[in-house]
């Protein structure tokens, strides 16, 4: 009977011999131990891996609103540019013209307690002397630096002296009658006759010489005042919708072309 030690040694020798035999026969097939499914790495598809980050919407700022373009014409700031806006027609007959159709001469249309003539004298004269008891209205004396002649004129109120300084309608009433005012009502004609825009204190004899002349037929002898004078005629005719003749328009352009920046007077 074998002892336990002898049996163990015999088993050890047998196993060693078996392993040696396998090596001699070239057995190298060693199968890997499968990895549990829970421990297998999860492969992420490229499309998922490259998915962009979600975009946060940005607030949209509304575009500014452009106001609609109005169709109303804009009056140029210069007299020369405004000449082109004046209608051009022939002169109508003077038939039916009467000064009274323009209302009472020198009416107090602005209701300041003083008639239009004295309003203009106070505006245009210097070194004025105001008549007592007239609430500062009536000019008794003064000096006019006459725009038409360029000369100073002493004004003294009186029957034989007042006419030395007259109030001229820059656009004569008769001229307006022949170029559109026949169609006006009395209120409009009265406003026109007393509009300070259309009135200048001037040398009496020169005013008489002008008569109802327009730019084509009369200009102030003082050449330095011609641009301002013609510009005022343009401003008045544009404001009241009066027309001009072709000769008148040509004369206006000729004068104002020498001073193209002359502003358009407004009342």
């Amino acid at each position: 009977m074998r002892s336990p030690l002898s049996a163990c040694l015999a088993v050890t020798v047998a196993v060693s011999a078996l392993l040696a035999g396998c090596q001699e026969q070239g057995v190298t097939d060693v199968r890997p131990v499968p990895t549990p499914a829970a421990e297998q790495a999860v492969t992420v598809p490229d499309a998922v891996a490259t998915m962009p980050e979600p975009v946060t919407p940005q607030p949209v700022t509304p575009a500014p609103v452009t106001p609609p373009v109005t169709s109303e014409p804009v009056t140029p700031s210069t007299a020369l540019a405004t000449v082109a806006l004046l209608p051009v027609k022939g002169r109508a007959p003077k038939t039916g013209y009467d000064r009274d159709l323009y209302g009472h001469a020198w009416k107090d249309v602005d209701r300041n307690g003083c008639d239009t003539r004295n309003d203009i004298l106070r505006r245009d004269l210097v070194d004025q002397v105001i008549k007592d008891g007239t609430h500062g209205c009536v000019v008794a004396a003064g000096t006019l630096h006459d725009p038409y002649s360029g000369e100073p004129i002493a004004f003294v109120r009186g029957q034989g002296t007042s006419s030395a300084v007259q109030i001229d309608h820059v656009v004569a009433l008769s001229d307006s009658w022949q170029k559109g005012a026949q169609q006006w009502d009395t209120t409009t004609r009265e406003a026109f006759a007393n509009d300070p825009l259309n009135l200048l204190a001037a040398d009496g004899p020169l005013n008489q010489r002008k008569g109802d002349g327009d730019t084509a037929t009369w200009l102030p002898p003082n050449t330095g005042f011609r641009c301002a004078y013609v510009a005022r005629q343009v401003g008045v005719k544009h404001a009241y919708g009066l027309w001009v003749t072709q000769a008148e328009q040509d004369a206006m352009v000729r004068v104002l072309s020498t001073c193209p920046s002359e502003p358009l007077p407004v009342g």
Side-chain angles (χ1 to χ4, degrees):
M1 184 177 184
R2 294 184 180 182
S3 63
L5 178 59
S6 299
C8 288
L9 291 173
V11 172
T12 301
V13 172
V15 172
S16 299
L18 178 61
L19 292 174
C22 290
Q23 292 175 353
E24 291 176 358
Q25 295 176 12
V27 179
T28 59
D29 184 14
V30 179
R31 298 180 181 275
V33 180
T35 303
E39 297 179 7
Q40 293 182 2
V42 178
T43 303
V44 180
D46 291 343
V48 177
T50 59
M51 182 178 294
E53 294 291 332
V55 179
T56 303
Q58 298 297 320
V60 178
T61 302
V65 178
T66 302
V69 178
T70 60
S71 59
E72 296 182 4
V74 178
T75 301
S77 60
T78 66
L80 178 59
T82 308
V83 174
L85 302 181
L86 301 178
V88 179
K89 300 181 183 180
R91 182 187 292 270
K94 193 175 177 179
T95 306
Y97 169 73
D98 191 300
R99 173 62 179 84
D100 291 341
L101 294 172
Y102 289 78
H104 178 69
W106 310 132
K107 184 178 179 180
D108 181 14
V109 292
D110 58 5
R111 299 184 180 181
N112 66 346
C114 193
D115 64 83
T116 302
R117 173 179 167 80
N118 279 289
D119 282 343
I120 301 303
L121 288 174
R122 291 199 319 277
R123 185 195 69 182
D124 293 352
L125 269 60
V126 298
D127 303 326
Q128 300 171 17
V129 176
I130 304 300
K131 185 176 180 180
D132 292 338
T134 62
H135 305 286
C137 174
V138 177
V139 178
T143 300
L144 171 68
H145 294 289
D146 177 41
Y148 290 175
S149 66
E151 300 295 330
I153 299 175
F155 170 76
V156 178
R157 179 175 294 277
Q159 185 173 358
T161 57
S162 289
S163 61
V165 174
Q166 299 179 10
I167 307 302
D168 178 39
H169 287 96
V170 178
V171 174
L173 301 186
S174 174
D175 182 63
S176 72
W177 179 263
Q178 298 172 76
K179 296 173 181 175
Q182 291 187 38
Q183 287 75 45
W184 295 349
D185 57 26
T186 302
T187 300
T188 303
R189 286 195 288 265
E190 187 175 77
F192 177 83
N194 292 275
D195 190 339
L197 178 65
N198 192 34
L199 298 172
L200 285 176
D203 176 88
L206 280 179
N207 183 44
Q208 293 296 316
R209 195 177 308 166
K210 169 189 171 180
D212 61 1
D214 58 22
T215 304
T217 58
W218 189 87
L219 289 171
N222 178 17
T223 57
F225 185 67
R226 287 182 178 179
C227 282
Y229 174 79
V230 174
R232 188 175 286 258
Q233 283 200 338
V234 172
V236 170
K237 293 205 167 187
H238 180 263
Y240 284 89
L242 295 171
W243 68 74
V244 295
T245 65
Q246 187 61 63
E248 184 180 5
Q249 185 187 64
D250 293 344
M252 287 174 167
V253 171
R254 185 167 55 252
V255 172
L256 294 173
S257 292
T258 66
C259 48
S261 60
E262 183 72 29
L264 180 72
V266 293

